[in-house]
Amino acid sequence: VDVKQWAMEVVGIDAEDADKLVQQEIDGEALSEMTEARLRSVGVPLGAAVKLMKKIEGLGGGGGSSSAAAPARSAGVLPVVSETTVAFWRAARSGQLDLGVGSTLQLPPDLAGSSRPVFVRESYVELVDALLPFLHTFENIGQMGNAAVYGTPGIGKSVFASWHAGWIGPRTPGATVLY
């Protein structure tokens, strides 16, 4: 499926807006890296840009409900994870990061959405202490369970999740930590 056809048939944008993708030589791989602002900068109107971003996010997160195929990408290409992010997770897993209360943690921009350092708060440890009894139960001794943390947008759930994934890695040798 080419990008223009996918944009018109699956996303529902008009041919004129889909043509702008073709004119800019945006293939499936490039489209998966676009932001709403970048789409707008190449002339895609706000409504079409929003529709495209929602569909792209749904495909990337596995939450898409459409059975239609995504636009063609280069063979074997997976979503890009920066070398900075890979280095961060390796350092976290090996215990090389200072994740203690009061430390300042530099999360990779593509992980945190910002390049600003994060202050490790006492509440992170308190939340982990509150979650652990639910994660270590009689039924799953030696295994980790799972939990969901939810709340108002912007209060730091993603930053906490990044910190927690880094914190728990060295404490659970051999375990796979999914984030």
Side-chain angles (χ1 to χ4, degrees):
V1 178
D2 71 22
V3 170
K4 180 178 178 179
Q5 179 183 357
W6 179 83
M8 293 185 327
E9 293 175 7
V10 176
V11 179
I13 67 172
D14 63 37
E16 182 181 332
D17 296 333
D19 279 335
K20 292 176 182 162
L21 300 173
V22 175
Q23 291 165 358
Q24 294 296 320
E25 298 179 1
I26 299 172
D27 62 6
E29 184 176 354
L31 186 60
S32 71
E33 299 298 319
M34 297 296 279
T35 63
E36 182 182 313
R38 287 176 69 192
L39 286 168
R40 300 282 315 276
S41 74
V42 297
V44 177
L46 177 62
V50 168
K51 285 180 180 179
L52 282 163
M53 292 311 302
K54 282 185 178 180
K55 186 56 76 172
I56 291 167
E57 289 167 5
L59 291 171
S65 58
S66 173
S67 60
R73 303 178 93 185
S74 299
V77 173
L78 297 174
V80 176
V81 176
S82 75
E83 288 183 29
T84 306
T85 298
V86 172
F88 170 82
W89 288 119
R90 285 187 177 141
R93 183 66 178 185
S94 65
Q96 296 173 352
L97 296 179
D98 179 6
L99 299 171
V101 173
S103 64
T104 303
L105 182 62
Q106 184 67 49
L107 295 174
D110 56 335
L111 182 63
S114 168
S115 59
R116 295 181 308 183
V118 173
F119 179 74
V120 178
R121 302 176 184 280
E122 176 70 30
S123 60
Y124 291 2
V125 176
E126 292 170 357
L127 185 53
V128 167
D129 288 344
L131 290 172
L132 283 178
F134 298 100
L135 298 178
H136 291 288
T137 63
F138 181 78
E139 293 81 25
N140 67 357
I141 291 175
Q143 299 176 11
M144 292 299 292
N146 52 43
V149 176
Y150 59 95
T152 307
I155 63 169
K157 297 175 300 295
S158 295
V159 171
F160 167 76
S162 297
W163 171 84
H164 185 255
W167 178 86
I168 202 165
R171 289 163 178 78
T172 55
T176 301
V177 178
L178 299 177
Y179 168 74

